[in-house]
Amino acid sequence: MYTAHPDRYAEMPYRRTGRSGLKLPAISLGLWHNFGPADRTVETQRAILRRAFDLGVTHFDLANNYGPPPGAAESAFGEALKADLAAYRDELIISTKAGYLMWPGPYGEWGSRKYLLSSLDQSLTRMGLDYVDIFYSHRPDPDTPLEETMGALHTAVQQGKALYVGISNYSAEQTREAARILGELGTPLLIHQPRYSMLDRRPEDGGLLDALDELQVGSIVFSPLEQGLLTGRYLDGIPEDSRAASDSPFLNSDAVTEDLVQQLRELNEVAEGRGQTLAQMALAWVLRGGRVTSALVGASSPKQIEDSVGTIANLDFAPEELARIDAIIKA
């Protein structure tokens, strides 16, 4: 029987989420393409979760369509939760989302009240939970009034099926409007989950981080390692077993240019000077200054989550380091 490490809270920093009372670990574990697939054993998946929790990672982020196949990640997590972590439920932050295609027909995606609340019920069943801590609208729906989508999130809280609500992939303007609607309903917007990394700065350039600061809404960023580009695997080109080599829809070989590889090598030199791996520096970069509440990482082994958590040993940057990183990226 699993017993959590007694010193699991000794090192991990926990950051307040916006103006709420909820704190999230600086490093959170996302269960996207690393949970549920048949090519990863149940024991490996359970070992990843146990090691993460032992290191102070209390937040596990899912979505209805994570797997593959859709729903597999939630089902696998539910089994692991029952086997190892059920006794620690009150120490865990569990989030899920709905917005992308989950089942066929007109009610299986986007942002209608019908879809969001039906999906949440299905997610709770798969995970064996009475409630999730955070329920997200995974993407804005251009054909559904935002009042309906936010109203569904509000209802989830009223029903006791979610403690907090969030949004993901919303623009700065959409975020302000969502926060306004939720505020009027009496369910504050807790958090936004955007894509953000050293190589993808749209949350900065599009004003999203400024909006979140203004609204006092938290943020948790996905793809901070840019689909593996910032892990150091591509310093010598494209590895045969990499995501880019398989021409994944999330990263294809055409994106890994000679210029990009040179940038990655130069960034790696900066990381080495900081005593970090490139991946650790990339995680520290999104967490710098406290504007981002938490960084989401994936893991295919306990060792990977250990390496990611090792980031917390050095989260500060000298001004010249930041200037050097910007010069490399913008060259």
Side-chain angles (χ1 to χ4, degrees), residues 176-195:
R176 286 192 174 91
E177 183 65 5
R180 182 193 66 77
I181 295 167
L182 285 168
E184 291 178 355
L185 291 170
T187 297
L189 176 62
L190 174 79
I191 195 166
H192 190 297
Q193 187 174 135
R195 179 169 179 164

Side-chain angles (χ1 to χ4, degrees), residues 97-110:
K97 316 176 198 71
Y100 287 93
L101 181 63
M102 184 60 194
W103 62 84
Y107 319 118
E109 63 177 326
W110 292 109

Side-chain angles (χ1 to χ4, degrees), residues 2 24-25 27-31 35 45-46 48-54 56-63 66 77 81 85 88-89 91-97 127 132-134 136 220 296-297 305:
Y2 166 70
L24 293 180
I27 303 296
S28 296
L29 182 60
L31 311 183
F35 262 69
Q45 295 175 55
R46 288 175 56 186
I48 293 168
L49 291 172
R50 293 192 299 262
R51 188 60 182 138
F53 188 53
D54 281 344
V57 177
T58 54
H59 179 212
F60 301 105
D61 180 77
L62 300 103
Y66 287 178
F77 178 75
L81 182 67
L85 295 172
Y88 304 98
R89 175 64 183 99
E91 297 182 45
L92 304 179
I93 301 299
I94 301 170
S95 61
T96 195
K97 316 176 198 71
M127 291 188 284
V132 291
D133 297 276
I134 308 171
Y136 288 86
I220 180 167
L296 272 172
V297 300
I305 194 68

Side-chain angles (χ1 to χ4, degrees), residues 170-213:
Y170 280 57
S171 69
E173 181 180 355
Q174 291 167 331
T175 297
R176 286 192 174 91
E177 183 65 5
R180 182 193 66 77
I181 295 167
L182 285 168
E184 291 178 355
L185 291 170
T187 297
L189 176 62
L190 174 79
I191 195 166
H192 190 297
Q193 187 174 135
R195 179 169 179 164
Y196 183 45
S197 75
M198 288 193 294
L199 299 178
D200 185 346
R201 304 192 179 192
R202 284 174 291 179
E204 291 179 10
D205 299 338
L208 178 61
L209 293 184
D210 290 336
L212 297 178
D213 288 344

